[in-house]
Amino acid sequence: MASDTDDLAFDVFSRQCPSRSTLEHATGRWGSLTLGALYEESLRFNELRRRVDGVSEKMLSQTLHALERDGLVLREAQPVNPPRVDYELTPLGREVAGKLLGLIHLVEGRMDDVLAARTRYDEARGGR
Amino acid sequence: MASDTDDLAFDVFSRQCPSRSTLEHATGRWGSLTLGALYEESLRFNELRRRVDGVSEKMLSQTLHALERDGLVLREAQPVNPPRVDYELTPLGREVAGKLLGLIHLVEGRMDDVLAARTRYDEARGGR
DNA sequence: CTGTATCCTGCCGGATACTG
DNA sequence: CAGTATCCGGCAGGATACAG
């Protein structure tokens, strides 16, 4: 059956489970890329903006807050002038980011297959 | 620099790379749960709806189309009455879903930490 | 530099009704 | 059962201006 091990305390497939929101923060449009970028090294706000191509200030800020609140990202502000703030992964964040990067590399490495599948799909329905 | 191995053909961190949309389909709000549900067994449309708690007909349909187009999900319609359609993972879909499930289980297993982090975060900013 | 505050638009996604 | 079609409200998220 689907889950004979549902003595689980948290089940992401259930609507109200808080784990679902955490998963969404981590896998969301900007969350996954942010975590992926921070895996290699800790980065500052604008460094992140440049690495995560296309993210706006607002969304990066929101994303970082959500990840920080969930305990995946650590925000370290240094009281200097000009202000300097470094973002780095927590141990849990590193684990999550590692899994995410595995997925990212898998997808990147198989894009030829994906593109071929898309072409096939579109051709089969091209006349529509 | 961030990646000294960017002889990669596809870079999800770049805005226009098609791999980004595939990643979003797989990790999106409903995509990850759909793939996760199909990992255990192939399921029919309404079985999926029940397993992925909270998904609407429309979004499940859209999600399945996107995943099918990307070659992650296979749609098998049997010409019987009443109609019966099974959805199952392709080999690539299985790999992706496996990584996703690893992430899901990691998050589920660490929700205590996440919840504690949230409490800490909210208390530190509770007076705000 | 590191962000918040505000405005505004598109489209995400839910509800409902309908078809094969 | 397995979906598509249509409507539409809310919010995701971009642009811009501003603050510390």
Side-chain angles (χ1 to χ4, degrees):
Chain A
M1 70 180 49
S3 49
D4 37 15
T5 52
D6 24 24
D7 46 352
L8 278 173
F10 299 101
D11 176 17
V12 80
F13 288 98
S14 164
R15 197 189 326 217
Q16 308 92 336
C17 184
S19 64
R20 185 179 284 191
S21 65
T22 300
L23 184 71
E24 280 169 11
H25 295 155
T27 63
R29 185 172 180 195
W30 303 118
S32 56
L33 299 177
T34 301
L35 290 172
L38 287 175
Y39 191 81
E40 310 253 355
E41 56 187 341
S42 74
L43 293 169
R44 306 172 59 180
F45 190 83
N46 280 323
E47 287 174 335
L48 265 173
R49 270 202 75 188
R50 264 171 266 119
R51 282 230 0 99
V52 182
D53 189 25
V55 69
S56 67
E57 286 187 358
K58 181 186 173 183
M59 291 318 298
L60 181 56
S61 179
Q62 273 188 24
T63 300
L64 285 169
H65 278 307
L67 295 177
E68 188 194 355
R69 190 170 104 98
D70 285 353
L72 302 180
V73 159
L74 200 62
R75 180 183 188 275
E76 269 186 303
Q78 302 172 32
V80 299
N81 196 308
R84 175 185 180 95
V85 180
D86 286 274
Y87 292 93
E88 63 182 310
L89 298 180
T90 64
L92 178 54
R94 269 196 88 68
E95 290 188 62
V96 171
K99 303 251 182 209
L100 243 13
L101 273 177
L103 181 64
I104 286 174
H105 291 145
L106 172 61
V107 168
E108 285 178 343
R110 301 294 208 87
M111 273 312 287
D112 294 325
D113 300 5
V114 171
L115 262 24
R118 285 187 182 172
T119 303
R120 253 179 283 119
Y121 184 95
D122 292 344
E123 275 172 0
R125 287 155 192 75
R128 190 185 178 277
Chain B
M1 71 179 47
S3 49
D4 39 16
T5 51
D6 26 22
D7 46 352
L8 279 172
F10 299 101
D11 176 17
V12 80
F13 288 98
S14 165
R15 197 189 322 220
Q16 307 91 337
C17 185
S19 64
R20 183 178 285 192
S21 65
T22 300
L23 184 71
E24 281 169 10
H25 295 156
T27 64
R29 185 172 180 195
W30 303 119
S32 57
L33 297 177
T34 301
L35 291 172
L38 287 175
Y39 191 80
E40 310 253 357
E41 55 187 343
S42 74
L43 292 169
R44 306 172 61 180
F45 189 82
N46 280 322
E47 287 174 335
L48 265 173
R49 270 202 76 187
R50 262 172 267 122
R51 268 203 101 321
V52 181
D53 189 25
V55 71
S56 67
E57 287 187 358
K58 180 185 173 185
M59 291 318 298
L60 181 56
S61 179
Q62 272 188 24
T63 301
L64 285 169
H65 278 308
L67 296 177
E68 189 194 355
R69 191 170 103 98
D70 285 354
L72 303 180
V73 160
L74 200 62
R75 180 182 188 276
E76 268 186 302
Q78 302 173 31
V80 299
N81 195 311
R84 177 186 180 94
V85 180
D86 286 274
Y87 292 93
E88 63 182 308
L89 298 179
T90 64
L92 177 55
R94 269 196 88 68
E95 290 187 62
V96 171
K99 304 251 183 211
L100 242 13
L101 273 177
L103 181 63
I104 286 174
H105 291 145
L106 172 62
V107 168
E108 285 178 342
R110 302 293 209 88
M111 273 311 287
D112 294 325
D113 299 6
V114 171
L115 260 25
R118 285 186 184 175
T119 303
R120 253 180 283 118
Y121 184 96
D122 292 344
E123 274 171 1
R125 286 156 191 74
R128 191 180 180 279

